[in-house]
Amino acid sequence: MGKQKIIYSCSECGHSQPKWSGQCFQCQSWNTFTEEIQFVEKKKFESHEVKTVKPVRVNEVIAQEKPRLKTHLIEFDRLLGGGIVPGSLTLVGGDPGIGKSTLLLQTSQALAKQGLTVLYVCGEESIDQTSLRARRLEVNSEQLYLLSETNFSLIKNQIDQLKPDILIIDSIQILYKSEIPSAPGSVSQVRETATEFMHLAKGHQIATFLIGHVTKSGEIAGPRVLEHIVDTVLYFEGDKHQNYRLMRVIKNRFGPTDEIAVFQMETGGLKEVNNPSEIFLEERTKEVAGSAIIPTLEGTRPILIEVQALVTQTVFTTPSRRCQGVDQNRLALLLAVLEKRVGYHLHNRDVFVSVAGGLKIVEPAIDLGVLLAVASSLSSKVIDPDLVVIGEVGLGGEVRSVARIESRLKEAIHMGFKKALVPARNGKGLSHDLQEKIRIKPIEFVEDAIDVVF
């Protein structure tokens, strides 16, 4: 064993330095350095042999498209870009109890039924505990193997003997390598074990899934290099006390990003929701002020959501501005536009805005809908229940164009809406067939939208 030295590693970005400091110079985070022991001599990876490689001209490379492994969970396959790529490394993150283990157990059953060998490493639970969940989900395939172990070397020995097609690690923060003198979940342990699994996945063509814990801020725990190593990053969102779960693609080397899939948690596991718009609008009350319907875009999928606003008289010196599912800074901007451009007085009003269903929306195309929902609640006037609202709002009160307007309008038509407020620039290039199915009203400024709606 070589010489040891003490280093300090940042738990956010993985940056290491010989001395402790309050702030990381790499990612500017505070109080993230932890003490670790490092060996001077370098260790070889256990999962691959050193081979001599030579550079190849890009036009001489023969691309071989490998068939993807289908899970027969249509929404999950769509998120991954059409199925699981052999040899890929996927990171699945989410809050405790959100359904990560449940989904991967269901996926294991679907893959094992096709004759594929699946190894599920349940490091946080015993085999008996995992088998109880498997029985509840009716997971009973003979090709699915359970292994309760946290030592990487022992796990690798079982992988070499079993030679699985699919490997699931639950979770990456609980595993450790005995050669590294630090606790499981530390920066060095997570970085080293994740790198080893990457070489195992690429070298033996094993499709590998890593379940990752999240921090209080909702990010994957451990160094940021963990997300750089993997091919795909999936996040589970939603309130675990509700039935609906949203899985979002943050990174995908084999397909589109920013896609989402909606699942419903039932007694028998997670069930796919093929029409999210219907789910988010099923409890909508039409004759209530402060409600607006907005066709938003998540990746390539248009989804209709309901934005609700409540404006009340404040009893405090400083009015409250609270929102759920909408960026708070964006809400403050829209309220300033309402005061300056339209003349609404909100300095003595509490404003609450929420996206029904627990969905988080970051695209600016919902600006006009949020603004009209606030105006509707303030004036106690109901927005036409057959109207959808689309548009980004600028500081000058102008309504800016949005992307893929036709996809949004087609989803609105499919859900039975008859009217639409769209930016004036988007309204010019719409097809006649689309305009015959839904009444289009082009809008240039926020004042025009309020005049048309109210």
Side-chain angles (χ1 to χ4, degrees), residues 414-448:
H414 175 70
M415 295 301 299
F417 289 88
K418 307 298 182 183
K419 305 174 185 177
L421 289 185
V422 302
R425 184 174 179 182
N426 286 129
K428 296 179 180 178
L430 295 176
S431 62
H432 293 289
D433 294 338
L434 201 60
Q435 295 185 30
E436 291 177 356
K437 296 178 181 179
I438 187 170
R439 184 180 174 185
I440 306 295
K441 181 62 179 178
I443 299 297
E444 292 187 3
F445 294 94
V446 171
E447 303 93 313
D448 301 335

Side-chain angles (χ1 to χ4, degrees), residues 163-181:
K163 294 181 172 53
D165 302 300
I166 309 293
L167 175 64
I168 299 174
I169 305 298
D170 187 5
S171 66
I172 186 63
Q173 278 87 6
I174 203 67
L175 302 190
Y176 69 94
K177 294 184 68 176
S178 56
E179 299 87 355
I180 302 176

Side-chain angles (χ1 to χ4, degrees), residues 340-360:
K340 180 69 175 180
R341 304 299 175 185
V342 187
Y344 284 8
H345 299 291
L346 298 169
H347 62 278
N348 59 349
R349 306 272 183 171
D350 291 335
V351 179
F352 305 92
V353 176
S354 174
V355 177
L359 193 63
K360 296 179 182 179

Side-chain angles (χ1 to χ4, degrees), residues 151-163:
N151 189 317
F152 173 79
S153 299
L154 299 179
I155 294 173
K156 183 180 179 300
N157 291 337
Q158 296 299 323
I159 294 173
D160 293 338
Q161 294 178 16
L162 188 61
K163 294 181 172 53

